[in-house]
Amino acid sequence: MAGTDSSKYEGFTAEERAAMKDHAQEQKKAARRASAAEAAAEAERDVVEKIAGMKDSDRLMAERVHTLITSNVPALAPKLWYGMPAYALDGKVVCFFQPADKFKARYATLGFNDPAKLDEGEMWATSYAVTELTPEVEARIVEVVKRAAG
């Protein structure tokens, strides 16, 4: 590719490698679960435990986002996805909460994957930076997640 120096590529960051390891463990754990009800309950516990282990600012925000989504969009099932709290419809991740600390980012992110029904013309947002959860931001999160879930 013109204009790139491939000798500078240093591979995945430690955070990216950790996320891939998290995902592999999540897949193995999910495969071992016996029933759908057991899987759902265990997946929810996994999400709550992951949130509890976050640093304060990320944890407080993730706890509130988790409550907003599970209370207002019950069709979405909590699960871990690459070590992040995520919410799935029919097993496919619709949205996820990426804590700022996960990839040493400036802010936490509420992100959406392809199954999210957010299409608006030729261009639309697939992630939102979240720096504070005001009542207005919370209302917007509920509105966007409801729309994404269809």
Side-chain angles (χ1 to χ4, degrees), residues 118-124:
L118 297 175
D119 304 30
E120 290 181 2
E122 289 77 36
M123 188 171 115
W124 57 89

Side-chain angles (χ1 to χ4, degrees), residues 40 43 69 72-81 85-96 111-118 144-150:
I69 293 173
N72 292 286
V73 194
L76 294 180
K79 67 184 281 182
L80 288 178
W81 184 68
Y87 304 87
L89 185 62
D90 299 325
K92 295 181 180 183
V93 172
V94 172
C95 63
F96 58 93
F112 295 85
N113 285 340
D114 288 352
K117 296 174 175 76
L118 297 175
V144 173
V145 173
K146 279 182 176 181
R147 189 162 41 105

Side-chain angles (χ1 to χ4, degrees), residues 29-119:
K29 191 172 187 180
R32 288 191 300 264
R33 294 181 176 142
S35 69
E38 175 190 331
E42 199 169 320
E44 170 109 22
R45 279 192 302 274
D46 292 345
V47 168
V48 170
E49 284 176 17
K50 181 60 80 171
I51 291 171
M54 291 178 185
K55 291 189 176 179
D56 285 345
S57 59
D58 283 333
R59 180 181 44 77
L60 294 171
M61 198 175 298
E63 286 172 346
R64 188 66 188 136
V65 167
H66 178 74
T67 298
L68 288 168
I69 293 173
T70 57
S71 298
N72 292 286
V73 194
L76 294 180
K79 67 184 281 182
L80 288 178
W81 184 68
Y82 291 94
M84 297 177 284
Y87 304 87
L89 185 62
D90 299 325
K92 295 181 180 183
V93 172
V94 172
C95 63
F96 58 93
F97 177 81
Q98 181 179 302
D101 194 53
K102 179 83 173 164
F103 296 107
K104 298 185 181 359
R106 191 173 68 156
Y107 43 76
T109 304
L110 180 63
F112 295 85
N113 285 340
D114 288 352
K117 296 174 175 76
L118 297 175
D119 304 30

